Amino acid sequence: VLGSNYVDGFLRASEARRFDFPADHAAHPGFRNEWWYFTGNVETPTGRRFGYQVTFFSSAIRPDADDNCGVGNAWCTNAIWMGHAAISDISSETHMAAEIFSRQEPGLAGARLDPFRVWINDWQLFSTDNEFPWELEVITDEFALSLSLTAEKSPVLQGTNGLSQKTPEAGNASYYYSVTRIETRGQFYLNGQRHEVSGTSWLDREWSTSALGADQTGWDWFSLSFDDGAKMMGFQLRGNDTYTSATWIAPDGTATPLTNGAFTASPLETSDVEGRAIPTTWTVALPEKGVNVTVTAINPNAWMDTSVPYWEGPVLITGSHTGRGYLEMTGYE
């Protein structure tokens, strides 16, 4: 989907834009792809640790919602929605994942303001108005979660003023911002038990039409929160030539974008995950900011056995900086 050449009629992320909050928390019609993507590290009062992930993903079928629908056709949908959710139990190294699909019309999925809400059937993210705190609710056959999310930092624009380039070619980019520290409190429901949890989450928001190049086969994405209050996002897109991007976020929230090549990530060790050799220990470096760390998967078994399979899980950071974060890796099927 992200690499398809089906772009005719869609808007593209080709130049910087002015971001507007809270309006940009909602949908951006005219672009082909958009997602709301949460990851978090939380624990119970007794110290039992979990990682979690929830993603709402929208893919437009056509650029014009009214094209070919006919007047008064409530079932003519303009988008297909997909949701992914997972909980990693650190103590047992178990990973539970779920996937959901829905058409957008008639009101089965969507994103709106006044009041803010993103939903796919009964999975939902919402608030009583358009501001934080937000409520996140997911119910699956194996687990459920109900979390209250309060942003402690303002949104960070990734890339160049929010334009995140994925290849040197114009238009192969997304509009991308993150909320990098979100106070998180609520409940996980696992195996018939309720767990009170608290911790922090990270939100990534992106929308685009053609983000990847034809030769790019996967990516490795890191969101790292250091114990000194600094944070960083870095990704590499694997292809004929590896393309990288990173943002350094100082403890006061000041963001510094770093260009292709400034960030490096190299696998150190792999784990056998359901018969796949998955890199679960990495060396990550950002020399301009003095970062040289080892990033280790806390639960190597965090495989997302979804329609498009990938690895996604919490990580531990050691070395020049210490802390916790999240790692997503695609293209290792």
Side-chain angles (χ1 to χ4, degrees), residues 62-73:
R62 59 181 72 82
D64 184 349
D66 297 323
D67 184 33
N68 298 323
C69 278
V71 177
N73 185 352

Side-chain angles (χ1 to χ4, degrees), residues 110-182:
R112 71 180 186 210
L113 284 178
D114 301 321
F116 173 68
R117 186 181 182 222
V118 183
W119 74 100
I120 306 174
N121 298 345
D122 58 358
W123 294 22
Q124 61 175 338
L125 172 70
F126 65 95
S127 71
T128 55
D129 50 29
N130 297 326
E131 304 287 350
F132 285 93
W134 294 350
E135 306 299 321
L136 179 61
E137 296 179 350
V138 170
I139 300 174
T140 78
D141 291 340
E142 286 191 273
F143 63 89
L145 60 85
S146 177
L147 300 174
S148 182
L149 307 169
T150 302
E152 297 184 319
K153 298 286 187 180
S154 299
V156 170
L157 303 185
Q158 304 285 10
T160 304
N161 297 319
L163 180 67
S164 175
Q165 202 69 35
K166 311 304 189 200
T167 76
E169 182 181 349
N172 282 356
S174 67
Y175 293 119
Y176 181 5
Y177 72 86
S178 304
V179 182
T180 62
R181 184 173 176 86
I182 303 173

Side-chain angles (χ1 to χ4, degrees), residues 170-212:
N172 282 356
S174 67
Y175 293 119
Y176 181 5
Y177 72 86
S178 304
V179 182
T180 62
R181 184 173 176 86
I182 303 173
E183 181 187 28
T184 304
R185 296 183 180 276
Q187 299 81 38
F188 286 171
Y189 300 87
L190 308 169
N191 302 316
Q193 295 183 321
R194 169 175 165 166
H195 302 277
E196 295 290 333
V197 296
S198 62
T200 58
S201 298
W202 176 301
L203 166 67
D204 265 10
R205 287 279 289 109
E206 292 194 63
W207 57 98
S208 65
T209 289
S210 178
L212 303 184

